Amino acid sequence: MESPQSLRILVVEDDPRMAEFLRVGLSEKGHAVQTARSAEEGRRLLEEHLFQAVVLDIGLPGKSGYSIVEYLGGRPGRPAIVMLTALNQEHHVVYGLDAGADDYLTKPFSFSELAARIVSAARRARTAAADNLAFGPFQLDLVQRRLFCNRAEIHLSPSEYMLLRALALDRGEVVPRRKLMQAIWDAAPVSHGALDTLVNTLREKLNPQCPGMISTIRARGYTLLEEEELRERCAP
């Protein structure tokens, strides 16, 4: 019987030793794992099987791992994409995330961290596919972009909505400032001060219902309380 966090995972990795290491390790975590040695084989498996996560190398024979990201695109219900590669320069990381990857981890890596990131990315992908995002007493309507708390609407600006959505998808985790700015303004040139101001205005709207639900993690980013803390702290 599968555990609640058991996933169907595709590993696309051309190094046979690394592919087997990932297959065995993730299988021992309770996941169902298939492997592919090229982008072409990976795409064929994605066409034939339903996966919830893809662990993807970039430097593959023939087409690169980016071709799989492009193939999956923004289609609804697509698996989470975690890039696992030796390309560790910042522009590679930025390009991979901009292309559509959900996370990016460089080699050498901690297997425990990889396993946790896969589960987290798959959870975010499932949540993003839903029409509504629930956390504590809040309901975020992802279709109409409206926020409700105990059925009463809290009016948000478009930027406040994008900020709250990004925090809620990764709640309980520190969301880096750069990731938040990308989620809100895409490639527009905005300052870190603009993000701080936006966080403060959002806090002012949320604090009457749930004081302190957004925390500042100095020099790293921001985080939204985990579900259990939200239930304890927020107004019923």
Side-chain angles (χ1 to χ4, degrees):
M1 183 177 181
E2 294 184 347
S3 70
Q5 289 190 327
S6 176
L7 302 172
R8 292 180 295 277
I9 300 173
L10 173 64
V11 173
V12 186
E13 167 64 63
D14 65 316
D15 183 328
R17 290 178 297 179
M18 176 61 73
E20 181 64 6
F21 169 74
L22 294 171
R23 187 193 68 77
V24 171
L26 292 171
S27 297
E28 289 176 349
K29 291 282 188 180
H31 304 299
V33 185
Q34 289 184 257
T35 61
R37 298 282 296 277
S38 67
E40 290 81 359
E41 184 183 4
R43 176 166 175 169
R44 178 180 61 77
L45 289 171
L46 285 164
E47 291 172 347
E48 296 174 354
H49 304 280
L50 178 64
F51 294 98
Q52 294 159 311
V54 179
V55 179
L56 182 62
D57 191 10
I58 295 175
L60 299 168
K63 294 183 178 179
S64 76
Y66 292 127
S67 65
I68 288 185
V69 181
E70 293 167 0
Y71 163 69
L72 291 172
R75 64 183 63 186
R78 72 159 176 81
I81 302 170
V82 178
M83 286 188 161
L84 181 65
T85 174
L87 300 177
N88 58 7
Q89 293 181 309
E90 183 179 14
H91 70 274
H92 289 301
V93 179
V94 172
Y95 185 85
L97 294 174
D98 284 348
D102 298 284
D103 208 340
Y104 193 111
L105 197 62
T106 59
K107 302 172 183 176
F109 61 96
S110 160
F111 178 78
S112 296
E113 180 183 1
L114 171 65
R117 288 194 183 206
I118 293 170
V119 171
S120 179
R123 182 178 67 244
R124 293 197 303 271
R126 286 196 302 268
T127 304
D131 291 339
N132 291 279
L133 184 58
F135 46 100
F138 297 94
Q139 291 279 342
L140 194 61
D141 186 326
L142 302 180
V143 177
Q144 298 188 29
R145 300 191 169 198
R146 300 167 68 188
L147 175 67
F148 298 87
C149 180
N150 297 320
R151 299 185 180 181
E153 183 170 4
I154 299 174
H155 295 281
L156 301 179
S157 71
S159 295
E160 290 166 350
Y161 164 82
M162 295 302 296
L163 170 61
L164 183 58
R165 180 182 181 275
L167 289 169
L169 286 171
D170 282 340
R171 60 188 178 279
E173 302 177 14
V174 179
V175 187
R177 299 171 65 89
R178 184 175 65 184
K179 184 176 180 180
L180 290 172
M181 293 170 73
Q182 183 183 27
I184 300 163
W185 295 293
D186 197 13
V190 295
S191 68
H192 286 272
L195 175 62
D196 297 332
T197 299
L198 185 64
V199 170
N200 288 334
T201 61
L202 180 60
R203 278 176 170 150
E204 290 177 2
K205 294 184 177 182
L206 300 179
N207 278 349
Q209 288 76 27
C210 192
M213 65 181 290
I214 300 175
S215 298
T216 302
I217 310 300
R218 188 173 181 180
R220 295 179 63 194
Y222 294 93
T223 184
L224 189 70
L225 292 177
E226 292 184 352
E227 188 64 29
E228 185 175 345
E229 293 177 294
L230 286 170
R231 289 197 300 266
E232 292 175 353
R233 186 176 299 188
C234 300

